[in-house]
Amino acid sequence: MTGQSVLKPFVGEFFANPYATYARLREVSPICRVELPDASPAWLVLTESDVRKALIDDRFSVDRTHSRASGYQGFSLPSALDANLLNLDGDTHLRLRRLVMKAYTRPRINEMRQGVVQAAEELADRIEGASTFDLVSEFANLLPIRVIGDMFDVPEEHRRPFSQWVGAMFGSQGPQQVRDAINSIHEFLLHLVAERRREPGQDLLSALIAARDDHDKLTEDELVSLAFLILSAGSENVQHIISNGIHTLLQHPDQLAQLRCEPSLLPAAVEELLRFAHPNQMAIRRFPTEPVSVRDVTIPAGDTVLLCIASANRDPARYPDPDRFEIRREDKTHLGLGHGVHFCLGASLARMEAEAALGALLNRFPHLSYATPVEELQWRPSFRSHALKALPLSPK
């Protein structure tokens, strides 16, 4: 400890507009001691330069064995879900990452593009005749479930429940609801792996099982944990990029008009959305393996450190006029998908899905508008994920 006072920023208006809170904190204390909603302590790092440096500093470990018992450690997972890439460093992380990277190569993503575009168009077909619809539940949630479900050949009837369990994990439900969701995910994946062992297919899970069984490269926990990470991240994050993206565009009609006039700007618009409106607020928590000095603050070994990606992406020391959404912004670098060895494995897939989704919606619905007052929109009460519970829209 350094004698810093403990701040409590994650209350009240924070959940509707966290960026205003980050801006105040950057001015007052760019590295601060905070109390999280569960009353556990953590260090919050807010500037782009400090976050970027910390993301590639191997003294900041994601391995819980380096943490203090009293600090925030994230979800309490069974061992069969915990041995995933987000909780591992060094050679173990790289070994597991290499096993799944073949599913996310650029040629593989390009092969998937036509199917993803078709899926987005089919979902748009379903809502075309409606007077109003909820973008979150009727489009944004369904597209990534279909894409990642196809990659793992998950039976259709199990896809929506799995997505709901993952949403319960991240939606700041009560402790019992979170435990129930984690238990349901665990049981589902154990059953799915057992099924795929009996009857292997051409899907990604079968490939991971074969890699373990033939070459002894994956333990059972590593196998189930990889399935958990890929399925949960693939279904959870993309849906909120889509819904936050449409909300952002509707809030900036001049940018929306430019994008409609020049569809070739769509990739650039997605990059700006990843900077401006990515749902993930924090990188995975870190634990210093030794005392680490950041600016004039020494963070003790074992303390929990939260690297605030959302604040870094709105840091005026890095981005001119950072709270302005600008699809023609020249500097397209951002930390929305991470940095360093823990850079998002599915980054190319996430970008492609977002482009397909936004392209289908903007092309199909030229008069897309809110179906409820903007001030009535409800956001998740979470410091980890800035995501809409629902986004009622009118397609006409």
Side-chain angles (χ1 to χ4, degrees):
M1 295 292 293
T2 63
Q4 278 202 354
S5 59
V6 177
L7 305 178
K8 299 181 181 181
F10 306 117
V11 295
E13 293 301 314
F14 168 85
F15 301 109
N17 180 20
Y19 305 104
T21 297
Y22 299 145
R24 290 194 297 272
L25 290 176
R26 279 195 307 268
E27 290 292 325
V28 175
S29 184
I31 301 168
C32 53
R33 191 73 166 158
V34 297
E35 180 180 295
L36 302 182
D38 66 357
S40 60
W43 294 94
L44 189 63
V45 181
L46 292 150
T47 70
E48 199 274 348
S49 61
D50 291 334
V51 170
R52 184 177 290 273
K53 289 174 185 175
L55 286 170
I56 58 173
D57 188 336
D58 58 13
R59 295 175 297 173
F60 288 103
S61 172
V62 297
D63 188 338
R64 285 192 181 93
T65 61
H66 296 293
S67 68
R68 296 183 191 275
S70 60
Y72 172 76
Q73 298 187 29
F75 297 115
S76 178
L77 299 172
S79 60
L81 301 183
D82 204 41
N84 67 64
L85 293 168
L86 295 183
N87 298 324
L88 298 169
D89 296 310
D91 292 342
T92 304
H93 172 90
L94 293 175
R95 167 178 148 264
L96 296 181
R97 192 178 181 93
R98 281 195 295 267
L99 282 170
V100 294
M101 280 183 65
K102 63 183 179 182
Y104 295 101
T105 62
R106 191 172 297 278
R108 172 63 178 147
I109 299 304
N110 288 335
E111 288 176 8
M112 296 173 62
R113 185 178 298 274
Q114 183 175 352
V116 174
V117 170
Q118 181 179 342
E121 293 292 345
E122 290 175 0
L123 290 172
D125 287 340
R126 297 183 190 180
I127 56 181
E128 189 166 21
S131 58
T132 62
F133 67 95
D134 172 25
L135 182 72
V136 174
S137 64
E138 297 179 61
F139 186 98
N141 175 263
L142 300 180
L143 180 63
I145 290 175
R146 178 164 167 178
V147 173
I148 205 70
D150 286 349
M151 288 178 70
F152 274 75
D153 196 19
V154 176
E156 191 72 36
E157 65 270 20
H158 297 317
R159 296 183 181 188
R160 194 65 178 263
F162 182 87
S163 177
Q164 291 170 343
W165 297 329
V166 174
M169 279 181 57
F170 289 96
S172 289
Q173 308 293 322
Q176 187 58 51
Q177 289 93 331
V178 172
R179 284 193 293 270
D180 290 345
I182 290 171
N183 289 337
S184 296
I185 291 169
H186 187 195
E187 292 175 11
F188 167 75
L189 291 175
L190 289 175
H191 178 72
L192 186 64
V193 169
E195 272 193 346
R196 213 51 51 83
R197 285 197 191 285
R198 288 192 300 268
E199 296 184 30
Q202 300 300 313
D203 60 288
L204 178 57
L205 182 55
S206 295
L208 293 174
I209 291 171
R212 173 185 183 269
D213 290 346
D214 291 348
H215 307 290
D216 196 26
K217 289 185 177 179
L218 286 173
T219 67
E220 191 71 13
D221 283 354
E222 288 171 345
L223 174 61
V224 177
S225 292
L226 279 173
F228 164 66
L229 176 61
I230 296 169
L231 280 165
S232 59
S235 63
E236 172 68 12
N237 293 334
V238 175
Q239 65 171 311
H240 301 306
I241 292 171
I242 295 168
S243 54
N244 285 5
I246 289 295
H247 172 60
T248 299
L249 287 166
L250 290 175
Q251 288 288 288
H252 298 83
D254 61 323
Q255 299 296 296
L256 176 56
Q258 289 184 49
L259 187 54
R260 289 191 185 281
C261 289
E262 296 184 57
S264 62
L265 290 172
L266 187 55
V270 168
E271 290 307 307
E272 176 68 346
L273 286 168
L274 291 172
R275 180 195 73 85
F276 186 88
H278 196 292
N280 288 353
Q281 299 294 283
M282 313 290 170
I284 188 72
R285 73 285 173 277
R286 261 70 171 178
F287 312 106
T289 57
E290 61 185 67
V292 179
S293 294
V294 183
R295 296 182 181 256
D296 58 347
V297 175
T298 298
I299 302 175
D303 277 11
T304 300
V305 178
L306 296 178
L307 306 176
C308 189
I309 300 293
S311 172
N313 282 338
R314 298 283 193 102
D315 185 354
R318 176 68 176 80
Y319 302 100
D321 197 4
D323 292 320
R324 177 172 56 89
F325 176 68
E326 174 54 71
I327 63 176
R328 296 180 186 271
R329 186 178 291 273
E330 292 185 8
D331 183 356
K332 294 180 174 57
T333 58
H334 55 78
L335 296 173
L337 297 170
H339 182 56
V341 296
H342 286 279
F343 181 77
C344 177
L345 188 68
S348 295
L349 180 59
R351 287 180 167 113
M352 187 262 281
E353 289 185 70
E355 288 179 23
L358 297 179
L361 290 166
L362 298 183
N363 181 60
R364 187 69 64 88
F365 307 119
H367 304 295
L368 197 64
S369 62
Y370 292 109
T372 192
V374 175
E375 59 271 18
E376 294 181 9
L377 294 176
Q378 294 186 2
W379 297 84
R380 276 183 174 175
S382 171
F383 72 92
R384 292 182 300 258
S385 175
H386 185 56
L388 286 161
K389 292 182 177 181
L391 182 56
L393 297 177
S394 171
K396 300 176 181 180

